[in-house]
Amino acid sequence: MESNIIERLFASFTELETAITKARDTFKTRASIPDTVIRRLESYDTILAKQRSLAVTLCEAISRKNWDEVNRNVTLINGLSAMIRDDAKAILAAVSTPEENSVEDEAENFC
């Protein structure tokens, strides 16, 4: 059970890395994307590396049955994921076309 969860965790890092690379490549082909956006995407690489490091520490803590450390590392990994997710949403909102923004705004008004 534990190894399956850990395998899925590392697989999710690979998926995230692929998504970051695709986003970076897509944005580089668009002339209207500010350099700050590309730098923000590059910062995700650093965050992802930290997550992988924490996951290794997590595995060690699991093997030692140090549940406080397991909880701490899971919390940190989740927090870093939330940082990327929230920033990615902000980037997408900033680079979307005005027409897309008005449709999204209208949709939010119905909720």
Side-chain angles (χ1 to χ4, degrees), residues 53 81 102:
S53 174
S81 292
S102 65

Side-chain angles (χ1 to χ4, degrees), residues 7 15 21 29 46 83 91 93:
E7 287 172 13
E15 290 174 21
T21 300
T29 63
T46 304
M83 281 177 43
I91 288 173

Side-chain angles (χ1 to χ4, degrees), residues 13 16-17 20 40-41 43-49 51 77-91:
F13 295 152
L16 178 57
E17 183 175 42
I20 292 167
R40 284 165 68 179
L41 284 173
S43 74
Y44 297 171
D45 294 328
T46 304
I47 295 170
L48 185 57
Q51 285 182 305
I77 291 167
N78 286 339
L80 291 170
S81 292
M83 281 177 43
I84 291 174
R85 183 188 62 243
D86 293 347
D87 192 60
K89 284 181 184 178
I91 288 173

Side-chain angles (χ1 to χ4, degrees), residues 41-81:
L41 284 173
E42 289 169 355
S43 74
Y44 297 171
D45 294 328
T46 304
I47 295 170
L48 185 57
K50 182 61 179 174
Q51 285 182 305
R52 284 187 166 124
S53 174
L54 288 167
V56 169
T57 304
L58 171 67
C59 292
E60 294 166 356
I62 290 171
S63 68
R64 292 188 317 266
K65 299 188 185 323
N66 183 344
W67 305 121
D68 289 337
E69 188 68 9
V70 167
N71 185 49
R72 178 183 165 283
N73 283 285
V74 167
T75 300
L76 290 171
I77 291 167
N78 286 339
L80 291 170
S81 292

Side-chain angles (χ1 to χ4, degrees), residues 23-41 91-97:
R24 185 183 303 114
D25 292 346
T26 299
F27 285 156
K28 283 183 179 179
T29 63
R30 292 177 64 185
S32 62
I33 304 300
D35 289 338
T36 56
V37 169
I38 301 302
R39 284 195 298 274
R40 284 165 68 179
L41 284 173
I91 288 173
L92 290 173
V95 300
S96 64
T97 62

